[in-house]
Amino acid sequence: MAQVLTKRADFLAANRGLRVARPGFVLLARPNDGLGQRYGITVTKKIGNAVVRNRMKRRFRELLRDALPDSGLPDHDHVLIGRAGGVERDFELMVQELERALQRARDGKGDPARGRRPRRGKRGPQPARGDR
């Protein structure tokens, strides 16, 4: 059975690895220097309230428990990031998508990283207080 990632540093390290995007999730995979198969799950508040996020995490845990022993990459960290619409997707469809995503990761075919979006609320330099 794969171990669960709990430390933020492990998630950040996985984010520098291979990225495979699917409609319901994004799979991150990165070698972990012989620590075995490990997995982590991330679902942000943008996805929905706590009930929706927890439901998505339960679905992801079940997906990973079924897929990692046979299809997971040995000595890699696997992180699933939830995407909008992932809760409503058919579970069997997500099983197939995860299998294809793991195959792409095994082949070393990741998707290009998207450019960083600027943070909201940043408007550039502001005039000094007395100049307004």
Side-chain angles (χ1 to χ4, degrees):
M1 184 65 199
Q3 293 178 334
V4 180
L5 294 176
T6 56
K7 294 188 174 140
R8 183 172 189 268
D10 292 332
F11 284 88
L12 294 175
N15 199 32
R16 293 189 302 269
L18 197 66
R19 171 182 302 267
V20 182
R22 291 288 168 251
F25 59 85
V26 176
L27 171 70
L28 305 176
R30 183 158 195 249
N32 62 19
D33 298 328
L35 296 175
Q37 283 185 347
R38 303 189 306 173
Y39 73 91
I41 297 169
T42 301
V43 182
T44 66
K45 288 185 178 182
K46 288 193 289 187
I47 301 303
N49 64 17
V51 174
V52 171
R53 294 193 312 269
N54 286 331
R55 181 167 184 239
M56 183 177 264
K57 287 189 270 190
R58 284 194 304 271
R59 295 182 86 196
F60 283 171
R61 271 194 296 274
E62 190 60 31
L63 278 171
L64 290 168
R65 277 192 201 117
D66 290 345
L68 285 186
D70 300 328
S71 303
L73 287 75
D75 295 327
H76 274 68
D77 290 341
H78 305 80
V79 175
L80 280 185
I81 302 172
R83 295 179 89 177
V87 172
E88 297 91 20
R89 289 187 78 72
D90 180 55
F91 190 77
E92 288 303 316
L93 181 61
M94 288 183 74
V95 168
Q96 294 170 7
E97 289 173 347
L98 181 59
E99 288 293 330
R100 277 186 250 128
L102 287 168
Q103 182 60 48
R104 282 184 59 92
R106 234 179 282 112
D107 296 341
K109 297 179 180 175
D111 297 328
R114 294 186 338 189
R116 298 263 316 164
R117 284 184 266 153
R119 290 187 176 174
R120 293 191 309 194
K122 296 263 181 175
R123 295 181 296 179
Q126 297 293 315
R129 230 157 161 47
D131 296 341
R132 288 189 211 180

